[in-house]
Amino acid sequence: LPFCTMGKFKVVVAGPKGTGKTIISNFLGGINNSGNNAEQLLVTNKYEPTAGVRILELELKLSGLTYSQDCNIEIWDSSGDQKYEGCWRAIMADADGVVLVYNPDAPSQDEQLLDWFDFFVKKNGLKDEQCMIFAHRSADSNERFRPPPLFSRVSAALTGPQSGADVKSLFENFLNELFTLKQRK
């Protein structure tokens, strides 16, 4: 496979406050949140709101049918607090993709998700394929999950304390999709 040189990605993690954006960002960035096996658990011991934005960096090898690429990934973990709304446009500058995180058990967040999608994806000129949605539950649940119907063209997954391996795999698939879209430009 040829080695490509397009391997830098900026992914913004956004959504309402208190939904688990930092837990997911830390996990994807290889930071252990709980003192347990970081490969398995998406939990934290206490809630600490993000002030503005945190940037995590990681290196990851992506492979597809026609490429093998060492990538530098920037994960921009943005605060969901409305008081930082004035910073969001700057946070989105040059973003390759967006991961939206929300709590599917909070009834108002299905509607809020549309606003977040409109601002972070549509108003910044990104395509549906450049967005992924994580419906994050802080505790395991047997309730079924269906993404809001307006997001039929966006990859969506339910996450929770035991879904670590799935989240890593879904994120790598998302990055491969971003890579393919970047190659087409």
Side-chain angles (χ1 to χ4, degrees):
L1 298 175
F3 186 81
C4 300
T5 58
M6 299 175 7
K8 182 168 182 172
F9 293 94
K10 176 180 177 181
V11 177
V12 175
V13 179
K17 66 181 178 178
T19 56
K21 295 178 300 296
T22 296
I23 293 168
I24 289 173
S25 296
N26 284 348
F27 181 80
L28 294 173
I31 297 172
N32 191 329
N33 294 306
S34 64
N36 295 313
N37 181 351
E39 290 299 315
Q40 298 298 323
L41 300 178
L42 286 170
V43 295
T44 188
N45 295 327
K46 64 179 182 170
Y47 173 66
E48 293 182 34
T50 300
V53 68
R54 296 171 47 246
I55 302 170
L56 294 90
E57 296 181 76
L58 70 137
E59 291 181 11
L60 190 64
K61 185 172 205 78
L62 296 179
S63 296
L65 294 174
T66 60
Y67 64 88
S68 178
Q69 173 69 48
D70 289 317
C71 297
N72 294 315
I73 314 294
E74 290 181 351
I75 299 173
W76 289 54
D77 174 23
S78 63
S79 173
D81 194 322
Q82 296 291 320
K83 71 182 179 183
Y84 296 108
E85 188 172 355
C87 303
W88 292 342
R89 189 159 308 283
I91 290 169
M92 281 302 298
D94 300 319
D96 295 297
V98 175
V99 173
L100 294 176
V101 180
Y102 80 109
N103 179 351
D105 299 323
S108 66
Q109 287 195 7
D110 275 2
E111 292 143 25
Q112 288 179 30
L113 188 60
L114 188 56
D115 294 333
W116 287 90
F117 181 80
D118 185 53
F119 181 83
F120 280 90
V121 179
K122 292 303 178 190
K123 287 188 178 170
N124 285 287
L126 298 179
K127 300 175 182 171
D128 290 358
E129 296 84 7
Q130 291 173 277
C131 179
M132 171 169 233
I133 298 171
F134 286 138
H136 186 69
R137 290 187 168 128
S138 58
D140 284 326
S141 170
N142 292 328
E143 287 185 49
R144 292 185 53 96
F145 162 71
R146 280 179 288 186
L150 294 172
F151 297 102
S152 61
R153 293 183 37 187
V154 177
S155 295
L158 180 64
T159 65
Q162 302 298 324
S163 62
D166 292 338
V167 169
K168 281 234 194 246
S169 176
L170 291 166
F171 187 65
E172 287 178 17
N173 290 341
F174 177 60
L175 291 173
N176 274 306
E177 178 70 24
L178 294 179
F179 187 89
T180 301
L181 290 169
K182 211 172 192 180
Q183 278 187 314
R184 291 182 193 153
K185 285 185 177 180

